[in-house]
Amino acid sequence: MTRRSRLLAAALLSAALAVTSGCGGDSGSEAEASKKDPDKVGYITAFGAVGRDAFAWVAKEKGYFAEAGIEVEIQKGAGNVPNLTALKSNKVQFAALDFTGAVIQAGKGEFTDWRAVAAVHQQTLVAVMTTKDTNISAPKDLEGKTVATGKGSVTELLFPAYARLAGIDATKVKIQPAQATALNGLMASRQVDALGTFLLSRTALGAASKKEVVVLPYSDYLRDLFGNAIITTPGLIEKDPDLVRRFTGALLKGLQYSIEHPEEAAQILNRAEPSYAVPSGVGEIKAMTPYVAPVGGAPVGFMDEQRVMRTIAVMQGAGLIPGGLTPEKVVDFGFVPKS
């Protein structure tokens, strides 16, 4: 009996040690998980390093990506086509771009291997801008005038739809393609009568022209259109939805912080891009703030499926895309729920 008792005691001790070892293993696993190498991804901004894109650098500097276990290389974008090309070639895994322009490109079958996962702007920010001395104060005044816009940009793509709804004879408006970076200079030197550009460029145009700026927003007539959105590929969503969720959450935290702290966000952007002045960044961030928050108390980034459906319908009605495109072909609604 004594020997059996000793054997039993040894067995119990061994079991206890095994349990203790197992518990220690779990703690070690959690520690290892927290210390594991971060997921490395590339992200490309909508356009350059300007105020409207500051939130990506904010998310990085404030540690939101690091908290999500992600290391991000931020690249400067150059518009929809270059950004979609970078995503398609896997040079980046996430991108920002103009959602409506991308819908048009998807509808035409030009770029289809992408999905929006969050909205940056709840309304399109594209507009026609001019200076007061041109005597253009209403859309109809554009007839007989020359409007410069980025070649292949969303302002160019959407102009026929805007013209139709605003009562403009589009055949009487000359669209002059130009480099996006040259637009303000063309207007300032009066080589053109107006620009197809973004609302957030108003301050820059005023500074370049030293004249009062007149703005004709597309949203006066195209009310259901989103502005910029965050996109990725269907392949990454299927392969690693958790990474997409973590990245989207961290980036949107950066967006929320930016609109709540525009001065700090602009300073963070300036550290990343010293050539971009802090006051310009503050101005852009403050100008875009009213367009960021969804109506009805939904979280930042939310995309309403009915609005996406109406966006597609508007594009089809304007003859910009054929029938057949549906919301689920351009948006994954699972990453920013309504509540």
Side-chain angles (χ1 to χ4, degrees), residues 122 256 292-304 336-339:
Q122 294 292 318
Q256 183 72 53
V292 171
V295 296
V300 165
F302 176 69
M303 298 188 77
D304 181 81
V336 185
K338 189 171 184 178
S339 58

Side-chain angles (χ1 to χ4, degrees), residues 9-267:
L12 291 172
L13 177 61
S14 177
L17 288 172
V19 171
T20 304
S21 175
C23 292
D26 289 342
S27 298
S29 297
E30 290 175 6
E32 286 301 316
S34 66
K35 294 178 181 178
K36 76 172 187 175
D37 292 338
D39 292 304
K40 295 183 179 182
V41 302
Y43 168 79
I44 192 166
T45 67
F47 190 85
V50 293
R52 76 199 74 164
D53 282 297
F55 61 92
W57 283 279
V58 170
K60 187 170 185 176
E61 182 162 315
K62 301 300 288 186
Y64 301 148
F65 287 129
E67 290 169 4
I70 301 172
E71 183 179 315
V72 181
E73 178 194 2
I74 302 174
Q75 301 178 24
K76 292 183 284 187
N80 276 26
V81 173
N83 286 13
L84 286 165
T85 301
L87 190 73
K88 184 177 181 179
S89 63
N90 203 38
K91 290 181 179 177
V92 297
Q93 290 69 51
F94 298 91
L97 46 60
D98 185 272
F99 177 71
T100 304
V103 167
I104 293 172
Q105 288 158 320
K108 290 180 175 180
E110 296 171 353
F111 289 95
T112 58
D113 195 27
W114 62 272
R115 296 292 183 275
V117 293
V120 178
H121 308 129
Q122 294 292 318
Q123 205 170 36
T124 182
L125 301 183
V126 295
V128 173
M129 280 192 204
T130 186
T131 50
K132 195 170 183 179
D133 60 308
T134 63
N135 295 319
I136 297 172
S137 60
K140 192 71 174 174
D141 297 332
L142 293 170
E143 293 182 0
K145 302 296 195 298
T146 298
V147 179
T149 187
K151 182 175 176 58
S153 67
V154 66
T155 50
E156 181 181 13
L157 293 171
L158 281 179
F159 186 78
Y162 169 73
R164 182 175 63 84
L165 293 172
I168 305 168
D169 184 346
T171 64
K172 295 181 179 179
V173 181
K174 180 182 177 182
I175 301 297
Q176 180 175 312
Q179 291 291 327
T181 52
L183 292 177
N184 287 343
L186 290 172
M187 187 70 240
S189 60
R190 283 303 307 275
Q191 295 181 58
V192 296
D193 301 299
L195 306 176
T197 184
F198 289 82
L199 288 170
L200 306 184
S201 301
R202 179 175 190 161
T203 301
L205 176 57
S209 65
K210 296 180 174 57
K211 297 173 183 175
E212 184 177 344
V213 175
V214 176
V215 182
L216 306 175
Y218 278 31
S219 59
D220 286 348
Y221 299 92
L222 296 164
R223 295 182 178 87
D224 284 321
L225 308 187
F226 288 93
N228 285 353
I230 307 304
I231 69 168
T232 187
T233 63
L236 185 58
I237 290 173
E238 182 178 357
K239 177 184 176 183
D240 199 343
D242 179 61
L243 172 60
V244 177
R245 186 169 289 105
R246 286 183 284 125
F247 178 88
T248 303
L251 192 61
L252 292 179
K253 282 179 71 175
L255 177 59
Q256 183 72 53
Y257 191 91
S258 296
I259 62 175
E260 291 174 353
H261 307 85
E263 288 81 8
E264 182 183 352
Q267 290 165 3

